[in-house]
Amino acid sequence: MTDFIRIFNNIMQITLASTDYGLGKISEILFWIARFVIIAVGGGVGIVKIVKGKADENPRDMNEGLTVLGAAGVVFAATFAIQAIF
């Protein structure tokens, strides 16, 4: 139980310390981290699928790669709309 109280106390101290920058700055940093992960994972998988589809002359894999790349782009763009809410 004391570990929970210690963790909660640390979270509260971090929250209070971050009031200089505000929660808007913290959420902005977290959204940029999420955007980086979306582009790294979605873009990486999409590009690999496109290249593999081209190399194997398989249009299905290439189209899947384009779809994954497009979906990653849509989710990336959606993070800006979601951030505007916060």
Side-chain angles (χ1 to χ4, degrees):
M1 186 66 173
T2 58
D3 289 335
F4 174 75
I5 294 171
R6 190 176 321 136
I7 291 170
F8 183 75
N9 189 21
N10 289 339
I11 291 171
M12 291 304 295
Q13 288 176 355
I14 291 171
T15 305
L16 291 175
S18 68
T19 55
D20 293 341
Y21 295 106
L23 291 177
K25 190 68 171 174
I26 292 173
S27 68
E28 181 180 341
I29 292 168
L30 292 176
F31 274 110
W32 275 109
I33 292 170
R35 288 177 189 126
F36 176 76
V37 169
I38 290 166
I39 292 299
V41 172
V45 170
I47 290 172
V48 166
K49 287 290 261 184
I50 292 170
V51 170
K52 186 176 185 224
K54 281 283 200 183
D56 295 342
E57 296 181 1
N58 186 354
R60 185 178 207 174
D61 278 346
M62 192 181 82
N63 289 338
E64 286 176 5
L66 290 172
T67 303
V68 169
L69 204 57
V74 169
V75 173
F76 178 80
T79 60
F80 289 102
I82 294 169
Q83 184 181 3
I85 295 171
F86 291 104

